[in-house]
Amino acid sequence: MNRIHKAVLLALVFAHAAICAPATPIKHLVIIFPENISFDHYFGTYPHAKNPPGEPKFIGSPRTPVVNGLSTALLTRNANASNPANGEGAINPFRLERSQAATADQSHDYTPEQMAFHSGLMDLFPKSVGRGNTPITGPHTPLNTTGLTMGYFDGNTVTALWNYAQRFALSDNSFGSTFGPSTPGAINLVSGQTNGVVDIRNGKGGLADGGDGSFTLISDPDPVGDVCSAPTRMLVSMSGNNIGDLLNEANITWGWFSGGFDRTITNTNGTTDCKRSSKSPVSAKTIADYIPHHEPFQYYASTANPEHVRPAAAKLIGHAGDAANHQYDMHDFYDALKVGNFPAVSFLKAPAYQDGHAGYSNPLDEQTFAVQVINFLQRRPEWKDTAVVIAYDDSDGWYDHQMSPIVNQSSGSTDALTGPGSCGDGASALPGVDAANAHAQGRCGFGPRLPMLAISPWARVNFVDHSLTNQASILTFIEDNWLHGKRLGKGSFDGISNSITGMFDFQSAPRPGKLFLNETTGQIQSAH
């Protein structure tokens, strides 16, 4: 190769590096994506914990900013307690003890959640989404009524999250992009667009009429083609693009890492393949590690790895061209970093028993997973340019007092926010995936308020961000940081969403200190 050709090649390499260079100091974004928590359920009384004997103590800094949480009036004269429609479940919000961490699941479907909001009165949670919890015993009678939905934890149970909030950034104004359960939340995280359901199998009961012959996803079907999907369950695929497509076009490394995705492993209890399972040390329940409807990229032909093909080598994880197609097991995340291969964007999904979903997981197992990841990352040399975002897929129906801003209306038989068949009139709804569908229905949102935290040397310190964000705001940050502001388009929420940049301070030098927590208690082991 002559000198001219070498010069041209070097120029192209440097030009590509400049194009791919992130717009902020964040070179590695890690999104930990647990399940089913409303903001008030975890942070309603932040930073004030009860601190009873026998539970990990939490004392908040007196300089902690005020959050939009549970005021004295909401705790003592709550509309859910006074509304007779809630029957025996009518009760004020009440504290769940650490020994009650394993609770029952609440209803969190698209329509019941809207009904609980009751046109913004926020007073029909026990009636619309509440469920009893007979396996749990304790001093609170609401555990056995629909009033369980009014329960909340404090810093004696979600200790790690409160400690992260004290030393990094917490948002108290972030929402699900739409109402509904896990899969719509996961799809909104990666595409901001739940319209465009295709290849529908085993019925259409979990879909909304999206208009112009389209369907919108509002439930939890399994992805078509995933070898671990249940064949008798409703199966669907999604059309349109997701963030993985845009990252691939720009040659940005990325991956989705799911607990249980590797079918070749045998767990210590003898389970393997799609039936790998783990037992929770907290609830003593055993649950499959991998849940297909929690893996959003499996719904798109362009980013699916239906047979769960293994990556050829740890050095290739996150890179285009490998047969795994950016879909991996959680252990692959650790394996890649240990050989110096840290993808630019990593989505982490814990094995199910650690994902926080009420009914089979719990905040204590969830805490262990998050702390393990963050402690590991803080020991890496790349920590100086890394950000971890903890965000949730849906609220599980747990009570939250804050009415969401309805930025996208819908009018269909599955809507019920402002009356039967109504979340507004739907006339100004965002477009669907098909350009002919100017106003796709079935996407009433924003939905319930969810916690969001940013943990990074660049995160603001003991900061509460009041900026309006939603699940797609993470997309907006990725697009602004690596893709020069390119959007998914076709009605995606990323086009109308604020970024999460308000949780960071990119004007000041990154702080050198690190915070290591105990994986079990969530308490501080060392801070330096």
Side-chain angles (χ1 to χ4, degrees), residues 33-35 257-261 267 276-279 287-291 294 329-331 334 348-357 360-362 365-366 369-370 372-373:
F33 200 55
E35 295 276 316
F257 301 85
S258 294
F261 197 79
N267 286 3
R276 281 175 59 193
S277 64
S278 299
K279 183 177 181 179
I287 183 77
D289 290 341
Y290 174 68
I291 297 179
H294 288 172
D329 196 284
M330 254 309 302
H331 75 78
Y334 293 107
L348 307 189
K349 195 73 180 182
Y353 82 98
Q354 292 182 315
D355 71 13
H357 193 304
Y360 63 76
S361 184
N362 59 85
D365 285 330
E366 175 197 341
F369 176 83
Q372 286 174 339
V373 170

Side-chain angles (χ1 to χ4, degrees), residues 135-185:
I136 291 289
T137 59
H140 301 295
T141 56
L143 291 171
N144 298 327
T145 75
T146 57
L148 175 61
T149 185
M150 304 299 292
Y152 65 85
F153 294 106
D154 68 11
N156 306 131
T157 299
V158 289
T159 315
L161 294 182
W162 280 35
N163 274 318
Y164 287 136
Q166 285 279 287
R167 287 153 184 84
F168 299 99
L170 167 71
S171 171
D172 70 347
N173 201 30
S174 192
F175 298 82
S177 300
T178 61
F179 290 88
S182 296
T183 307

Side-chain angles (χ1 to χ4, degrees), residues 275-417:
K275 296 187 181 300
R276 281 175 59 193
S277 64
S278 299
K279 183 177 181 179
S280 163
V282 176
S283 69
K285 289 185 176 181
T286 299
I287 183 77
D289 290 341
Y290 174 68
I291 297 179
H293 72 260
H294 288 172
E295 219 285 34
F297 289 107
Q298 292 287 82
Y299 291 87
Y300 297 85
S302 60
T303 55
N305 178 0
E307 297 293 328
H308 299 213
V309 176
R310 302 291 301 129
K315 278 283 188 182
L316 297 178
I317 289 170
H319 294 264
D322 186 74
N325 202 22
H326 303 275
Q327 311 309 311
Y328 311 101
D329 196 284
M330 254 309 302
H331 75 78
D332 293 316
F333 177 74
Y334 293 107
D335 295 345
L337 267 68
K338 288 174 182 176
V339 298
N341 176 23
F342 194 167
V345 180
S346 302
F347 299 89
L348 307 189
K349 195 73 180 182
Y353 82 98
Q354 292 182 315
D355 71 13
H357 193 304
Y360 63 76
S361 184
N362 59 85
L364 301 181
D365 285 330
E366 175 197 341
Q367 169 179 271
T368 297
F369 176 83
V371 171
Q372 286 174 339
V373 170
I374 295 168
N375 283 354
F376 171 81
L377 291 174
Q378 288 183 109
R379 294 185 175 98
R380 298 289 309 173
E382 303 94 339
W383 177 247
K384 65 183 184 301
D385 47 36
T386 296
V388 177
V389 172
I390 301 178
Y392 291 80
D393 64 342
D394 66 70
S395 72
D396 199 68
W398 293 113
Y399 170 68
D400 190 274
H401 77 275
Q402 181 59 54
M403 171 64 188
S404 55
I406 301 302
V407 302
N408 196 52
Q409 299 180 28
S410 177
S411 179
S413 61
T414 56
D415 291 301
L417 182 69

Side-chain angles (χ1 to χ4, degrees), residues 1-20:
M1 182 182 293
N2 61 39
R3 284 185 295 175
I4 294 177
H5 287 162
K6 285 183 178 179
V8 170
L9 180 60
L10 285 172
L12 290 172
V13 169
F14 286 126
H16 177 73
I19 290 172
C20 295

